[in-house]
Amino acid sequence: MIKVVGINKSYSTTAILQNISFNIPDGQIIALFGPNGCGKTTLLKIIAGLDKQDSGEIKQLERSDDSDLRAGLVFQDHRFSLLPWMTIYKNIELTLISKIKSKKEREKRVDQIIDRLNLSRHQNKYPYQVSGGLSQLTAFGRALAFNPDIYLFDEPFSALDYQSALKLQQQFLSLWEKEKKSTIIVTHSIEEVILLADQIIIFSGLPAKILDIIPNNIPRPRNLEQLGGDLAQGIRQKIISIAQSFLI
Ligand SMILES: Nc1ncnc2c1ncn2[C@@H]1O[C@H](COP(=O)(O)OP(=O)(O)O)[C@@H](O)[C@H]1O
Ligand SMILES: [Mg+2]
């Protein structure tokens, strides 16, 4: 279990995050849903140890030392996810250079990841030679190769067309079903939260406070048909009514 406890953050005189607390139980997918500019990326950076909060803490229970969480990050824009002068294979290998010193061992790990993601046909291509969906799949592969404590995904599907996003969501879900790793995903898509999340955290605008945390009990493994079911409809209604009440 990872606990986000009372996080406050300001940039100069502007309050960004106000007393943000929630739990990430092992193996759950938590969605962060809220307006642009409310501090979702800032919160992910704080959790990853890339930015510093003013107060509050990120606790990982069951961990004896106080080192930072190891986070596997995937960002929004696939054009910036990968190094353009390296092949798909080398982009995945890059993440492992400091972690696995032996080249042979490292290549074994990269081969495993390429195999799991079905990327072998594309492994020698450069990012500009593959679709946005495949670039983002490679970015997921890098996060996977790193074997982090938690995945932090910042709108990873939002720069893709609808079909590519659906396909990549399915690919991510089937990977996730195998290892059930704790994940936080930032998204603006109600469909995405219904398909992926166990809990949906709704943020207000600046300074961001948590307006509500909605559980998503749709049974897993999930599929696209469930998006039209009664449980999905209930979640959709709740999100819309919170978003709406906030507009008034
Ligand atoms: N390094 C920074 N310095 C100053 N202000 C920042 C910095 N990073 C983000 N901000 C501001 O903090 C607010 C929240 O940004 P961000 O976390 O990117 O929001 P979101 O991801 O929810 O769209 C925005 O108003 C943004 O302009
Ligand atoms: Mg953001």
Side-chain angles (χ1 to χ4, degrees):
M1 163 96 81
I2 296 165
K3 287 172 100 62
V4 174
V5 189
I7 297 289
N8 288 289
K9 171 77 180 170
S10 303
Y11 284 122
S12 63
T13 54
T14 312
I16 308 288
L17 299 168
Q18 212 167 56
N19 196 25
I20 303 296
S21 297
F22 59 93
N23 293 336
I24 309 147
D26 288 340
Q28 281 207 2
I29 302 179
I30 308 287
L32 306 185
F33 192 91
N36 270 339
C38 80
K40 302 177 299 298
T41 297
T42 303
L43 181 60
L44 289 193
K45 284 187 189 159
I46 290 171
I47 294 172
L50 299 172
D51 202 342
K52 191 93 192 86
Q53 65 271 34
D54 302 331
S55 59
E57 54 181 330
I58 311 295
K59 285 188 193 166
Q60 190 178 18
L61 306 186
E62 310 101 30
R63 174 169 248 188
S64 47
D65 59 29
D66 62 353
S67 54
D68 281 340
L69 276 181
R70 291 186 322 127
L73 292 136
V74 177
F75 292 106
Q76 174 176 15
D77 199 330
H78 53 81
R79 287 167 302 176
F80 303 121
S81 296
L82 306 176
L83 295 178
W85 60 89
M86 285 187 175
T87 62
I88 297 295
Y89 188 96
K90 289 284 177 195
N91 262 287
I92 296 177
E93 187 186 4
L94 183 68
T95 335
L96 297 171
I97 284 182
S98 61
K99 192 170 143 73
I100 309 178
K101 297 283 181 227
S102 144
K103 189 167 168 60
K104 211 169 144 219
E105 285 301 307
R106 196 163 65 228
E107 288 181 348
K108 209 167 120 192
R109 178 78 179 139
V110 180
D111 289 339
Q112 265 175 6
I113 301 294
I114 296 269
D115 199 43
R116 279 178 71 184
L117 300 180
N118 249 331
L119 275 172
S120 56
R121 275 187 305 129
H122 305 287
Q123 64 179 6
N124 295 322
K125 292 182 185 165
Y126 289 87
Y128 76 90
Q129 294 174 307
V130 302
S131 65
L134 277 176
S135 289
Q136 274 308 62
L137 186 62
T138 308
F140 278 116
R142 278 200 316 207
L144 196 75
F146 188 59
N147 194 23
D149 300 313
I150 187 167
Y151 290 128
L152 302 177
F153 297 154
D154 200 352
E155 304 186 38
F157 307 110
S158 66
L160 300 175
D161 63 84
Y162 187 69
Q163 271 90 349
S164 303
L166 274 186
K167 183 166 180 208
L168 191 59
Q169 285 158 16
Q170 301 291 325
Q171 284 169 312
F172 166 67
L173 264 184
S174 68
L175 284 172
W176 181 86
E177 286 292 342
K178 293 196 186 86
E179 54 172 10
K180 296 263 163 69
K181 192 160 282 205
S182 306
T183 301
I184 302 182
I185 178 165
V186 173
T187 172
H188 294 292
S189 156
I190 294 185
E191 310 238 305
E192 229 169 87
V193 303
I194 291 173
L195 195 63
L196 302 179
D198 294 291
Q199 300 188 58
I200 302 139
I201 302 186
I202 317 263
F203 285 87
S204 68
L206 276 184
K209 292 182 280 290
I210 293 180
L211 293 176
D212 206 349
I213 299 183
I214 300 172
N216 178 352
N217 296 319
I218 297 176
R220 295 185 187 274
R222 295 184 186 157
N223 55 50
L224 292 176
E225 282 74 54
Q226 285 161 316
L227 286 176
D230 290 345
L231 283 172
Q233 197 50 27
I235 294 167
R236 194 175 280 118
Q237 277 308 330
K238 269 192 205 157
I239 296 175
I240 292 170
S241 76
I242 295 163
Q244 217 167 26
S245 67
F246 191 69
L247 290 176
I248 299 163

